Amino acid sequence: MMKVAFIGLGVMGYPMAGHLANAGLDVCVYNRTREKAQNWLDQFTGSSADTPATAAMDAELVFTCVGNDEDLREVVIGTNGIIHSICPDSILVDHTTASAQIAQEIGSILQAKGAGFLDAPVSGGQQGAENGLLTIMCGGEQTCFDRVQPVMNHYARQTSLMGAWGAGQLTKMVNQICIAGLIQSLAEGVQFAQKSGLDVEQVFDVIGKGAAQSWQMDNRHKTMNQDQYDHGFAVDWMRKDLNICLQEARKNGAHLPVAALVDQFYSEVQKMGGGRWDTSSLLKRLVSS
């Protein structure tokens, strides 16, 4: 039985670790909030640890899914970090959406310890994690990817190696840049249909079968029309991701005028008290303006 560790039981990590347990792997989990780790143990078969280092001890694969660069540094190279116990020839797989710089930094540190690393951010949201239908974009060595891919397939429908360390994070940035524009356009389209007195459901049933179709349209137009924003990826996290994109663009010279504008719109949603609303709440801003 393969022994794995999973660090971070948020809305994504919790079900992802659950899929590994259900697949018969020996899973040891760690979460800063012990109550969440206990809830996981009440639902799945496995064990928990008091520190990331303890969880990673003797694990063949270590998975992390935390909030941001600083959280990742803490669980990997902090006082009780994974680096202090990870075995040579083990692989750390980071599912956090973070910067390309931190991926390269951690990859180098682990390489010096004889361990492998993949930066492997995911797309598909909480629903994708729960249903095992995530898309995973990876950066790292082919040999590491080949070892980890069969395990990731327990919660993913698509896993791809995009290049060296950091390539996974850069690909995720492209994903978030594209989504930002899509959601704003969808919000404008829904409001336009509402203001025009059209049957919104009928409109999107029709155009959803044409060139305008997208995942966002298929999965969010109904809840947007019903003023429901209590599911999906939170505005606070989207702003974190867009900030990473904008910082990287300043380094590589890319121009992101739409992403920057939508980031400002999300800041307005936060001021409305919508930091935990899902990203489709851009419509809420339009309706309130």
Side-chain angles (χ1 to χ4, degrees):
M1 184 184 298
M2 179 184 289
K3 182 175 181 181
V4 303
F6 207 104
I7 314 300
L9 299 176
V11 295
M12 302 294 287
Y14 191 105
M16 291 162 73
H19 286 298
L20 298 182
N22 288 339
L25 281 68
D26 181 4
V27 182
C28 182
V29 299
Y30 166 81
N31 195 72
R32 284 184 297 186
T33 306
R34 292 189 180 185
E35 181 182 2
K36 190 169 287 187
Q38 185 56 54
N39 290 342
W40 189 91
L41 290 173
D42 291 341
Q43 186 175 354
F44 302 103
T45 300
S47 59
S48 67
D50 292 333
T51 68
T54 306
M57 196 174 297
D58 299 325
E60 184 175 337
L61 301 177
V62 181
F63 297 88
T64 51
C65 190
V66 294
N68 53 40
D69 283 24
E70 290 310 309
D71 293 333
L72 187 57
R73 283 195 179 91
E74 179 63 26
V75 299
V76 176
I77 61 177
T79 303
N80 296 306
I82 295 162
I83 194 68
H84 303 296
S85 65
I86 193 168
C87 303
D89 297 325
S90 295
I91 301 173
L92 172 61
V93 183
D94 177 42
H95 289 310
T96 309
T97 295
S99 68
Q101 180 180 351
I102 189 69
Q104 295 158 0
E105 176 185 330
I106 289 176
S108 296
I109 292 170
L110 287 168
Q111 186 178 60
K113 295 280 289 188
F117 176 69
L118 290 177
D119 59 288
V122 303
S123 180
Q126 183 177 351
Q127 184 178 4
E130 292 173 349
N131 294 329
L133 296 173
L134 293 171
T135 296
I136 307 179
M137 46 222 87
C138 302
E141 297 180 351
Q142 185 72 53
T143 53
C144 289
F145 178 77
D146 291 342
R147 279 179 58 189
V148 175
Q149 186 180 29
V151 180
M152 293 190 295
N153 283 344
H154 291 304
Y155 46 76
R157 64 177 175 182
Q158 174 71 36
T159 56
S160 302
L161 182 64
M162 308 306 298
W165 297 326
Q169 296 295 351
L170 291 170
T171 303
K172 179 61 183 288
M173 292 176 209
V174 176
N175 185 79
Q176 301 305 76
I177 292 165
C178 293
I179 286 174
L182 280 172
I183 299 174
Q184 176 62 23
S185 296
L186 180 58
E188 293 177 13
V190 171
Q191 189 197 36
F192 185 90
Q194 292 171 339
K195 293 284 189 181
S196 300
L198 295 170
D199 182 326
V200 175
E201 296 301 324
Q202 183 181 21
V203 168
F204 284 92
D205 180 65
V206 171
I207 70 172
K209 295 178 175 64
Q213 186 274 337
S214 69
W215 185 97
Q216 295 293 334
M217 180 180 290
D218 291 346
N219 290 274
R220 291 291 176 262
H221 81 269
K222 289 184 180 180
T223 52
M224 292 168 76
N225 188 44
Q226 296 164 1
D227 196 34
Q228 296 177 359
Y229 306 109
D230 57 352
H231 58 274
F233 190 58
V235 167
D236 287 342
W237 291 116
M238 185 60 161
R239 286 215 72 202
K240 183 265 291 186
D241 289 1
L242 288 176
N243 183 57
I244 292 172
C245 297
L246 294 169
Q247 287 183 355
E248 187 66 33
R250 285 191 282 271
K251 295 177 185 177
N252 67 22
H255 299 289
L256 305 180
V258 173
L261 184 60
V262 175
D263 180 56
Q264 293 178 35
F265 293 162
Y266 278 127
S267 72
E268 295 176 19
V269 174
Q270 287 176 318
K271 292 174 183 176
M272 295 168 60
R276 301 306 301 170
W277 295 343
D278 73 74
T279 51
S280 64
S281 57
L282 285 172
L283 177 59
K284 191 83 167 176
R285 171 190 162 272
L286 289 177
V287 171
S288 300
S289 61

